[in-house]
């Protein structure tokens, strides 16, 4: 089960998407101050915009998943997160950045919960698969942001976000693995 292709794919997705979410949680305020020259208090407001995107995505996702399915919704979420983060990195303007931060949050909101949900689909492997996928996600959430800080020392924080963008793209390659598995009754 540990070397099952779906398990490995879900673990990679959880790792990448938890890194995307954790990096935003730890670094958005500083990136706004250093990269966009906004005040500390306004950077906190911008971080609140990210959290609003996260909450919005999680509030509306249940009905959307039921209607459109996990794969399509996760692909849209990954695209939104990637577009949002790319716009933040490009540093067009503060207004564009605030909108992009919302998109980043909206897109990041579904990744980790959906991979955990997909990991629990098959009752035969659910406990082991969920534990492995969760371990990968929380490991990335804990180790990723300090790694990003290390990279920021060399490249600058906005440029270090390129590594987060790469993680989003890698996760996007595996989205078909969240498809609901039909169990024989």
């Amino acid at each position: 089960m540990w070397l099952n292709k779906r398990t490995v794919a879900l673990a990679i997705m959880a790792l990448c998407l938890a890194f995307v979410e954790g990096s935003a949680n730890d670094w958005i305020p500083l990136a706004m101050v250093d990269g966009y020259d906004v005040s500390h208090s306004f950077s906190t407001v911008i971080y609140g915009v990210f959290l609003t995107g996260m909450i919005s995505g999680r509030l509306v996702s249940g009905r959307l998943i039921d209607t459109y399915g996990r794969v399509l919704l996760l692909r849209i979420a990954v695209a939104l997160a990637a577009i949002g983060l790319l716009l933040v990195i490009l540093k067009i303007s503060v207004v564009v950045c605030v909108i992009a931060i919302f998109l980043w949050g909206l897109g990041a909101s579904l990744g980790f919960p959906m991979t955990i949900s997909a990991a629990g689909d098959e009752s035969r492997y659910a406990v082991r698969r969920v534990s492995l996928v969760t371990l990968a996600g929380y490991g990335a959430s804990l180790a990723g942001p300090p790694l990003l800080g290390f990279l920021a020392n060399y490249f600058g924080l906005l440029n270090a976000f390129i590594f987060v963008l790469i993680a989003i793209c890698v996760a996007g390659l595996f989205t078909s693995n969240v498809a609901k598995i039909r169990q024989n009754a």
Side-chain angles (χ1 to χ4, degrees):
M1 195 281 306
W2 298 108
L3 296 178
N4 175 283
K5 283 174 40 176
R6 185 166 190 257
T7 303
V8 171
L10 290 171
I12 290 169
M13 285 179 59
L15 187 141
C16 290
L17 294 170
F19 174 57
V20 169
E21 186 177 333
S23 297
N25 284 327
D26 288 359
W27 291 107
I28 282 177
L30 185 59
M32 297 303 101
V33 170
D34 289 353
Y36 282 86
D37 297 320
V38 301
S39 69
H40 290 280
S41 57
F42 190 59
S43 73
T44 304
V45 170
I46 294 172
Y47 175 63
V49 170
F50 173 81
L51 294 177
T52 301
M54 291 280 296
I55 291 168
S56 300
R58 289 188 178 163
L59 285 175
V60 302
S61 64
R63 182 169 278 162
L64 293 173
I65 290 170
D66 292 341
T67 304
Y68 300 106
R70 283 191 238 171
V71 175
L72 177 61
L73 197 58
L74 187 57
R75 286 179 178 160
I76 291 169
V78 165
L80 288 174
I83 290 166
L85 184 52
L86 180 61
L87 290 172
V88 169
I89 293 167
L90 291 176
K91 197 177 171 182
I92 297 167
S93 73
V94 174
V95 173
V96 170
C97 177
V98 171
I99 295 166
I101 292 284
F102 180 81
L103 292 176
W104 182 1
L106 187 63
S109 68
L110 302 180
F112 188 60
M114 267 203 232
T115 57
I116 299 299
S117 180
D121 279 350
E122 293 176 90
S123 58
R124 182 172 154 204
Y125 300 118
V127 172
R128 289 185 196 142
R129 188 174 276 159
V130 167
S131 66
L132 179 68
V133 171
T134 303
L135 178 65
Y138 283 124
S141 189
L142 292 172
L147 174 64
L148 191 64
F150 176 77
L151 294 169
N153 280 331
Y154 293 99
F155 304 110
L157 191 48
L158 289 179
N159 291 329
F161 280 158
I162 292 170
F163 294 97
V164 180
L165 184 59
I166 291 168
I168 293 170
C169 294
V170 168
L173 297 174
F174 295 98
T175 55
S176 62
N177 289 284
V178 299
K180 188 99 171 135
I181 294 199
R182 302 199 193 286
Q183 294 192 34
N184 296 332

